[in-house]
Amino acid sequence: MIDKMHTISMLLDGLMTDKITPELFEHLVELGAFEFNPEEADYLRRELNKQLKVVHQLEAVPVGEDVPLASHGVPYTADIRPGLREDVWDPCENPAEILAQAPQVEDGYIIVPDIPHTKLD
Amino acid sequence: MTLMELSAFEIAQRVRQGDLSAAEVLDAALARIAAVDGRPGTLDAGELTEEDKQKVHAFITLTADRAREQAEAVDAKVKAGEPVGPLAGVPLTVKDIFTVKDTPSTAASKILANFSAPYTASAVERLEAAGAITLGKVNLDEFTYGSSSESSAFQPSPRNPWDPSRVPGGSSGGSTASVAAGEAPLSLGTDTAGSIRQPAAFCGVVGLKPTYGRVSRYGLIAFGSSLDCPGPVSRDVRDAALMLSVMAGADKRDSTAATVAVPDYLASLEQGVNGLRIGLSPDYMQITFPDLETGELVRQALPEEIRAATFHAAEVLAKQGAEIVEDVPMPNTSYGIPAYFVISRVEAASNLHRYDGVKYGYRTTSEYHELRELYRKSRAEGFGLQPKLRILMGMYVSAAQYSEQYYARALKVRSMIRSDFENVFNVDGAYKLDALLTPTTPTTAFKMADVYGDSVLMQYADQLTVPANHAGIPGISVPGGIAADGLPIGIQLLAPDFMEETLFQVGHAYEQATADEAWRKIKPMVLR
């Protein structure tokens, strides 16, 4: 079974034109705030295109116009849903403990390097 | 019988009665870990030795001192005649995707390797309040992204106790390996596409994905927020029922934890299956792949012994009085993986943008000059390839120009998968099923490195489990036999929303009726 699946998966590599071109991939990398060496980029782009070929099965599914979008499976009816919580201030018991996780802190503030910006006149 | 062969139920009973101390149980658990687990996963493991390849490697972090304090507290209460909880003295392992205060909570990722959680997950808090002794955090696929546990940044990754050259499955592979190897009778895992049930099947243990919303997700490091379900891993069904009864229920810290009353799962366990309607579906006896030449789907029957184990379970249940309903149509089953490739990636990308090297977790040690560069370097160095792949895919399919084609369509297909279940569980419908019986996985545990790296092939390990995640319904995998390759086979039961008690009832009846079958006498290789 695994062998057969391997064969199909390898064949998928060569099927159809790549949806995610090197240019589009670079755009996604920028949006995702990543940077890759060429070997990683090759692997990731290849796998993305393979996954998309599987995703294309969805295009052939006869989806009726009245089929609703399901953002979750279990219907969250009012009788099983907790009500909204009270809008009251519930302070963190120990903010210092939270701040202690930050790589750089000064006077209770998290420090970041310069944020690229443009000065307006 | 050694202490580590006792069930959680038996341990708690004996500890409560004062026949056994929690400290003794802890000693036995630590001795078992020392004997079979080998070195824990680390970021700089180097080459694996031949000895490494014979060990289980379930753990990332063993918290023996913390466990000792918990065990002593339980023993002190018993001695003082104070009440102790239903899990008194029971060793527990926790998948390292849950936060436990003041302990490393890594998600098996370099990006969280230095993160010490400032709070404890609700599920862990409830288990510990019931007397469970947390031994430590067990390994998983990085951020749960995988079906073999090999993608962990903490190597050696877990190996299958039945054959250490095989994967334990994933992503809760450390959980199921630790339970199969007798390191703990209980483990807390999570299931987003099958991540409890698939490794439970591979490791010959019981794994339950509860109904979405049955167990609070507070303190669970998020992957797919509409799919993630914390759930129990155990060696028998009664222990899973016991563990769920402690964890389940509403939580003011998770607005998706349903306010549905938690039944007494142990009370319904012995009710048997007489009169229950249990379905078999041909759509779960095959695996479906996209065809390459024609665009049509290729359907391949599952291996004979996996189908045979499922049919055998149906026969056993029929003899106990269940009514088996054959040819139940589940026509949208094969769309589970393609829809999951879209929905889970969108949710993963959204959840993983928070890791940026600023607030907590890994920050790059190389030079940077501005904020975006800090983000890029921290994320590039901190995340492994599988999280990166999911983030990139999630951004692509949810981009404004593609979201209607991909994301919206996948959510509609999800409705169709849900309606398959609603149709067959409908009490006024044609099938009126109480449960659906299926195989859990298309294969037994595959060899280490055989599938890893091929993200499409790896995902198909979840084809029979992922529909329940889309639908939100509960599912359980129980051991259903041993294949010719000496590896466990899992069978899966699926039930309507919040009907975990049916799964326990049927699973327990099957266990009782097959207690004397020869395969149940076989032990995992690391325990022989």
Side-chain angles (χ1 to χ4, degrees):
Chain A
M1 171 72 79
I2 292 279
D3 289 345
K4 168 80 175 170
M5 290 160 76
H6 258 312
T7 310
I8 290 173
S9 186
M10 280 189 294
L11 285 167
L12 271 173
D13 280 339
L15 180 72
M16 297 191 273
T17 325
D18 285 349
K19 282 263 179 190
I20 299 184
T21 60
E23 295 73 28
L24 178 54
F25 181 77
E26 280 310 311
H27 178 61
L28 292 173
V29 170
E30 173 64 21
L31 287 177
F34 288 125
E35 50 189 29
F36 299 120
N37 64 38
E39 193 186 331
E40 284 178 324
D42 279 354
Y43 169 77
L44 290 167
R45 197 170 74 82
R46 187 175 69 241
E47 292 299 310
L48 286 172
N49 280 308
K50 268 167 63 177
Q51 291 184 6
L52 274 179
K53 285 162 192 165
V54 174
V55 169
H56 281 150
Q57 277 182 60
L58 297 179
E59 289 174 7
V61 180
V63 179
E65 279 190 11
D66 55 344
V67 174
L69 301 172
S71 56
H72 48 79
V74 177
Y76 261 98
T77 50
D79 57 327
I80 67 162
R81 204 168 47 207
L84 293 176
R85 64 177 169 79
E86 294 282 307
D87 187 14
V88 290
W89 183 46
D90 186 9
C92 175
E93 285 171 11
N94 189 359
E97 204 174 13
I98 309 292
L99 279 175
Q101 296 286 339
Q104 202 180 349
V105 176
E106 206 175 289
D107 298 333
Y109 290 92
I110 292 172
I111 303 298
V112 295
D114 277 348
I115 300 169
H117 58 281
T118 307
K119 275 199 173 168
L120 299 176
D121 292 333
Chain B
M1 182 180 274
T2 67
L3 278 186
M4 296 318 292
E5 285 171 59
L6 294 176
S7 69
F9 184 85
E10 291 164 329
I11 289 172
Q13 202 170 40
R14 290 173 63 172
V15 168
R16 277 201 304 273
Q17 288 166 352
D19 298 340
L20 183 65
S21 73
E24 282 175 87
V25 182
L26 175 61
D27 287 341
L30 294 175
R32 175 64 62 85
I33 292 165
V36 304
D37 209 60
R39 58 179 171 142
T42 58
L43 292 179
D44 50 359
E47 289 291 307
L48 295 195
T49 64
E50 283 311 306
E51 191 193 347
D52 284 334
K53 293 176 186 171
Q54 304 305 316
K55 298 292 186 183
V56 176
H57 307 290
F59 279 84
I60 290 179
T61 308
L62 186 65
T63 50
D65 292 343
R66 189 173 177 278
R68 181 70 60 192
E69 285 170 20
Q70 290 177 328
E72 285 170 357
V74 167
D75 287 338
K77 277 189 180 178
V78 172
K79 206 172 172 187
E82 293 172 22
V84 287
L87 294 176
V90 175
L92 167 77
T93 64
V94 175
K95 185 178 184 180
D96 202 6
I97 197 75
F98 290 93
T99 57
V100 176
K101 188 169 165 51
D102 298 332
T103 70
S105 297
T106 70
S109 180
K110 183 179 174 184
I111 211 159
L112 282 177
N114 64 357
F115 176 61
S116 178
Y119 64 103
T120 297
S122 292
V124 177
E125 200 172 83
R126 290 177 185 185
L127 293 164
E128 292 188 338
I133 310 298
T134 303
L135 300 174
K137 307 296 271 308
V138 284
N139 216 332
L140 62 147
D141 282 293
E142 184 175 357
F143 278 100
T144 78
Y145 300 165
S147 306
S148 70
S149 302
E150 292 165 288
S151 69
S152 173
F154 290 75
Q155 295 289 325
S157 66
R159 302 174 90 88
N160 194 315
W162 289 82
D163 176 353
S165 72
R166 305 271 174 163
V167 300
S171 62
S172 308
S175 288
T176 57
S178 68
V179 172
E183 298 174 346
L186 298 180
S187 187
L188 175 62
T190 62
D191 191 313
T192 306
S195 278
I196 288 175
R197 289 162 291 157
Q198 183 258 19
F202 278 12
C203 289
V205 296
V206 173
L208 173 82
K209 179 205 103 65
T211 309
Y212 180 82
R214 178 73 292 182
V215 177
S216 167
R217 291 181 295 116
Y218 179 77
L220 161 60
I221 297 169
F223 161 17
S225 302
S226 79
L227 300 154
D228 293 339
C229 293
V233 175
S234 60
R235 280 198 304 274
D236 66 31
V237 171
R238 184 172 57 178
D239 277 1
L242 174 65
M243 186 168 164
L244 184 68
S245 66
V246 170
M247 291 157 60
D251 180 5
K252 67 175 185 176
R253 296 176 296 189
D254 176 5
S255 63
T256 62
T259 56
V260 175
V262 180
D264 183 347
Y265 294 122
L266 291 176
S268 57
L269 214 52
E270 305 288 350
Q271 285 177 359
V273 293
N274 197 22
L276 291 186
R277 289 172 63 85
I278 296 172
L280 288 169
S281 172
D283 297 304
Y284 274 84
M285 296 296 169
Q286 61 188 7
I287 188 158
T288 312
F289 279 82
D291 183 287
L292 318 169
E293 304 292 324
T294 63
E296 303 277 314
L297 296 177
V298 175
R299 293 190 168 82
Q300 190 181 356
L302 297 187
E304 174 57 29
E305 44 187 3
I306 289 183
R307 286 187 297 146
T310 312
F311 291 131
H312 173 63
E315 281 169 25
V316 167
L317 293 168
K319 279 186 192 153
Q320 303 293 308
E323 192 177 337
I324 303 299
V325 182
E326 294 190 72
D327 296 325
V328 173
M330 299 295 289
N332 296 300
T333 303
S334 66
Y335 304 138
I337 293 295
Y340 183 76
F341 262 126
V342 176
I343 296 167
S344 69
R345 272 52 173 179
V346 171
E347 296 186 8
S350 168
N351 279 319
L352 266 60
H353 274 301
R354 73 189 67 174
Y355 304 106
D356 56 9
V358 171
K359 301 176 290 296
Y360 53 90
Y362 177 80
R363 175 180 281 197
T364 181
T365 52
S366 56
E367 199 178 346
Y368 51 84
H369 302 94
E370 44 91 358
L371 188 61
R372 289 283 301 178
E373 194 182 7
L374 168 70
Y375 289 163
R376 280 197 302 274
K377 289 189 169 171
S378 298
R379 289 162 65 82
E381 294 163 20
F383 282 126
L385 283 174
Q386 297 310 313
K388 287 168 179 166
L389 191 51
R390 276 165 167 79
I391 293 168
L392 294 169
M393 184 64 159
M395 287 190 314
Y396 176 73
V397 294
S398 61
Q401 64 270 44
Y402 305 120
S403 74
E404 189 61 31
Q405 178 189 357
Y406 293 119
Y407 189 50
R409 193 167 187 87
L411 293 179
K412 287 185 175 186
V413 170
R414 184 176 189 178
S415 280
M416 294 166 67
I417 294 169
R418 165 89 189 171
S419 62
D420 279 357
F421 290 106
E422 286 178 345
N423 181 35
V424 300
F425 292 145
N426 182 355
V427 291
D428 299 317
Y431 297 94
K432 300 180 180 59
L433 297 184
D434 294 288
L436 190 67
L437 168 65
T438 81
T440 309
T441 56
T443 65
T444 54
F446 35 87
K447 283 197 174 295
M448 303 281 298
D450 225 20
V451 178
Y452 183 57
D454 187 329
S455 64
V456 168
L457 186 53
M458 188 67 85
Q459 196 68 76
Y460 273 90
D462 297 331
Q463 186 165 85
L464 307 178
T465 48
V466 73
N469 299 81
H470 285 306
I473 60 160
I476 195 169
S477 180
V478 297
I482 302 287
D485 55 14
L487 295 166
I489 295 171
I491 54 171
Q492 176 177 237
L493 290 155
L494 303 168
D497 297 342
F498 301 104
M499 290 306 290
E500 285 82 359
E501 53 192 315
T502 304
L503 300 178
F504 294 139
Q505 205 176 320
V506 178
H508 183 70
Y510 168 75
E511 267 178 359
Q512 298 296 303
T514 56
D516 295 329
E517 289 188 2
W519 61 271
R520 288 205 182 269
K521 309 286 183 289
I522 306 171
K523 288 186 174 181
M525 196 186 285
V526 298
L527 298 181
R528 285 175 212 157

PDB file of all heavy atoms in Angstrom, chain B residues 259-273:
ATOM      1  N   THR B 259     -21.231  23.884  26.977  1.00  0.00           N
ATOM      2  CA  THR B 259     -21.857  23.778  28.306  1.00  0.00           C
ATOM      3  C   THR B 259     -22.781  22.553  28.352  1.00  0.00           C
ATOM      4  O   THR B 259     -23.910  22.636  28.826  1.00  0.00           O
ATOM      5  CB  THR B 259     -22.667  25.051  28.610  1.00  0.00           C
ATOM      6  OG1 THR B 259     -23.611  25.235  27.548  1.00  0.00           O
ATOM      7  CG2 THR B 259     -21.773  26.264  28.710  1.00  0.00           C
ATOM      8  N   VAL B 260     -22.295  21.452  27.840  1.00  0.00           N
ATOM      9  CA  VAL B 260     -23.065  20.205  27.841  1.00  0.00           C
ATOM     10  C   VAL B 260     -22.653  19.399  29.077  1.00  0.00           C
ATOM     11  O   VAL B 260     -21.453  19.243  29.339  1.00  0.00           O
ATOM     12  CB  VAL B 260     -22.771  19.384  26.561  1.00  0.00           C
ATOM     13  CG1 VAL B 260     -23.476  18.037  26.598  1.00  0.00           C
ATOM     14  CG2 VAL B 260     -23.171  20.170  25.324  1.00  0.00           C
ATOM     15  N   ALA B 261     -23.659  18.916  29.835  1.00  0.00           N
ATOM     16  CA  ALA B 261     -23.363  18.166  31.059  1.00  0.00           C
ATOM     17  C   ALA B 261     -22.479  16.955  30.731  1.00  0.00           C
ATOM     18  O   ALA B 261     -22.621  16.348  29.669  1.00  0.00           O
ATOM     19  CB  ALA B 261     -24.666  17.709  31.707  1.00  0.00           C
ATOM     20  N   VAL B 262     -21.587  16.633  31.656  1.00  0.00           N
ATOM     21  CA  VAL B 262     -20.693  15.485  31.453  1.00  0.00           C
ATOM     22  C   VAL B 262     -21.336  14.263  32.104  1.00  0.00           C
ATOM     23  O   VAL B 262     -21.545  14.238  33.308  1.00  0.00           O
ATOM     24  CB  VAL B 262     -19.309  15.753  32.083  1.00  0.00           C
ATOM     25  CG1 VAL B 262     -18.382  14.560  31.862  1.00  0.00           C
ATOM     26  CG2 VAL B 262     -18.698  17.027  31.514  1.00  0.00           C
ATOM     27  N   PRO B 263     -21.666  13.238  31.294  1.00  0.00           N
ATOM     28  CA  PRO B 263     -22.296  12.052  31.886  1.00  0.00           C
ATOM     29  C   PRO B 263     -21.302  11.231  32.708  1.00  0.00           C
ATOM     30  O   PRO B 263     -20.096  11.463  32.626  1.00  0.00           O
ATOM     31  CB  PRO B 263     -22.760  11.242  30.671  1.00  0.00           C
ATOM     32  CG  PRO B 263     -22.215  11.898  29.471  1.00  0.00           C
ATOM     33  CD  PRO B 263     -21.434  13.102  29.858  1.00  0.00           C
ATOM     34  N   ASP B 264     -21.821  10.291  33.462  1.00  0.00           N
ATOM     35  CA  ASP B 264     -20.952   9.373  34.194  1.00  0.00           C
ATOM     36  C   ASP B 264     -20.537   8.276  33.212  1.00  0.00           C
ATOM     37  O   ASP B 264     -21.241   7.293  33.019  1.00  0.00           O
ATOM     38  CB  ASP B 264     -21.720   8.782  35.382  1.00  0.00           C
ATOM     39  CG  ASP B 264     -20.831   7.873  36.227  1.00  0.00           C
ATOM     40  OD1 ASP B 264     -19.718   7.516  35.760  1.00  0.00           O
ATOM     41  OD2 ASP B 264     -21.232   7.516  37.345  1.00  0.00           O
ATOM     42  N   TYR B 265     -19.385   8.489  32.580  1.00  0.00           N
ATOM     43  CA  TYR B 265     -18.962   7.576  31.517  1.00  0.00           C
ATOM     44  C   TYR B 265     -18.712   6.161  32.039  1.00  0.00           C
ATOM     45  O   TYR B 265     -18.914   5.184  31.324  1.00  0.00           O
ATOM     46  CB  TYR B 265     -17.689   8.103  30.834  1.00  0.00           C
ATOM     47  CG  TYR B 265     -17.881   9.394  30.069  1.00  0.00           C
ATOM     48  CD1 TYR B 265     -17.139  10.525  30.372  1.00  0.00           C
ATOM     49  CD2 TYR B 265     -18.804   9.475  29.028  1.00  0.00           C
ATOM     50  CE1 TYR B 265     -17.299  11.712  29.665  1.00  0.00           C
ATOM     51  CE2 TYR B 265     -18.977  10.658  28.321  1.00  0.00           C
ATOM     52  CZ  TYR B 265     -18.221  11.770  28.648  1.00  0.00           C
ATOM     53  OH  TYR B 265     -18.394  12.932  27.949  1.00  0.00           O
ATOM     54  N   LEU B 266     -18.270   6.048  33.285  1.00  0.00           N
ATOM     55  CA  LEU B 266     -17.980   4.707  33.821  1.00  0.00           C
ATOM     56  C   LEU B 266     -19.274   3.927  34.054  1.00  0.00           C
ATOM     57  O   LEU B 266     -19.313   2.708  33.912  1.00  0.00           O
ATOM     58  CB  LEU B 266     -17.180   4.816  35.114  1.00  0.00           C
ATOM     59  CG  LEU B 266     -15.738   5.317  34.962  1.00  0.00           C
ATOM     60  CD1 LEU B 266     -15.075   5.468  36.323  1.00  0.00           C
ATOM     61  CD2 LEU B 266     -14.908   4.377  34.089  1.00  0.00           C
ATOM     62  N   ALA B 267     -20.339   4.659  34.397  1.00  0.00           N
ATOM     63  CA  ALA B 267     -21.608   3.980  34.709  1.00  0.00           C
ATOM     64  C   ALA B 267     -22.189   3.300  33.477  1.00  0.00           C
ATOM     65  O   ALA B 267     -22.810   2.245  33.578  1.00  0.00           O
ATOM     66  CB  ALA B 267     -22.602   4.986  35.281  1.00  0.00           C
ATOM     67  N   SER B 268     -21.978   3.912  32.293  1.00  0.00           N
ATOM     68  CA  SER B 268     -22.594   3.353  31.082  1.00  0.00           C
ATOM     69  C   SER B 268     -21.731   2.276  30.431  1.00  0.00           C
ATOM     70  O   SER B 268     -22.147   1.615  29.489  1.00  0.00           O
ATOM     71  CB  SER B 268     -22.858   4.469  30.072  1.00  0.00           C
ATOM     72  OG  SER B 268     -21.653   5.142  29.783  1.00  0.00           O
ATOM     73  N   LEU B 269     -20.544   2.090  30.991  1.00  0.00           N
ATOM     74  CA  LEU B 269     -19.564   1.210  30.359  1.00  0.00           C
ATOM     75  C   LEU B 269     -20.048  -0.229  30.212  1.00  0.00           C
ATOM     76  O   LEU B 269     -19.785  -0.893  29.216  1.00  0.00           O
ATOM     77  CB  LEU B 269     -18.293   1.230  31.224  1.00  0.00           C
ATOM     78  CG  LEU B 269     -16.950   1.102  30.564  1.00  0.00           C
ATOM     79  CD1 LEU B 269     -16.777   2.101  29.443  1.00  0.00           C
ATOM     80  CD2 LEU B 269     -15.853   1.297  31.611  1.00  0.00           C
ATOM     81  N   GLU B 270     -20.766  -0.695  31.201  1.00  0.00           N
ATOM     82  CA  GLU B 270     -21.155  -2.117  31.239  1.00  0.00           C
ATOM     83  C   GLU B 270     -22.520  -2.372  30.608  1.00  0.00           C
ATOM     84  O   GLU B 270     -23.059  -3.464  30.733  1.00  0.00           O
ATOM     85  CB  GLU B 270     -21.178  -2.611  32.695  1.00  0.00           C
ATOM     86  CG  GLU B 270     -19.879  -2.409  33.472  1.00  0.00           C
ATOM     87  CD  GLU B 270     -18.769  -3.353  33.030  1.00  0.00           C
ATOM     88  OE1 GLU B 270     -19.053  -4.291  32.255  1.00  0.00           O
ATOM     89  OE2 GLU B 270     -17.610  -3.127  33.445  1.00  0.00           O
ATOM     90  N   GLN B 271     -23.072  -1.373  29.948  1.00  0.00           N
ATOM     91  CA  GLN B 271     -24.431  -1.546  29.428  1.00  0.00           C
ATOM     92  C   GLN B 271     -24.526  -2.480  28.226  1.00  0.00           C
ATOM     93  O   GLN B 271     -25.617  -2.866  27.830  1.00  0.00           O
ATOM     94  CB  GLN B 271     -25.037  -0.192  29.082  1.00  0.00           C
ATOM     95  CG  GLN B 271     -25.464   0.580  30.330  1.00  0.00           C
ATOM     96  CD  GLN B 271     -25.991   1.961  30.010  1.00  0.00           C
ATOM     97  OE1 GLN B 271     -26.026   2.356  28.851  1.00  0.00           O
ATOM     98  NE2 GLN B 271     -26.384   2.681  31.039  1.00  0.00           N
ATOM     99  N   GLY B 272     -23.385  -2.807  27.633  1.00  0.00           N
ATOM    100  CA  GLY B 272     -23.416  -3.741  26.505  1.00  0.00           C
ATOM    101  C   GLY B 272     -23.924  -3.083  25.230  1.00  0.00           C
ATOM    102  O   GLY B 272     -24.205  -1.878  25.201  1.00  0.00           O
ATOM    103  N   VAL B 273     -24.003  -3.876  24.174  1.00  0.00           N
ATOM    104  CA  VAL B 273     -24.349  -3.319  22.866  1.00  0.00           C
ATOM    105  C   VAL B 273     -25.685  -3.856  22.350  1.00  0.00           C
ATOM    106  O   VAL B 273     -26.049  -3.590  21.206  1.00  0.00           O
ATOM    107  CB  VAL B 273     -23.236  -3.624  21.836  1.00  0.00           C
ATOM    108  CG1 VAL B 273     -21.965  -2.890  22.187  1.00  0.00           C
ATOM    109  CG2 VAL B 273     -22.988  -5.118  21.695  1.00  0.00           C
TER     110      VAL B 273
END
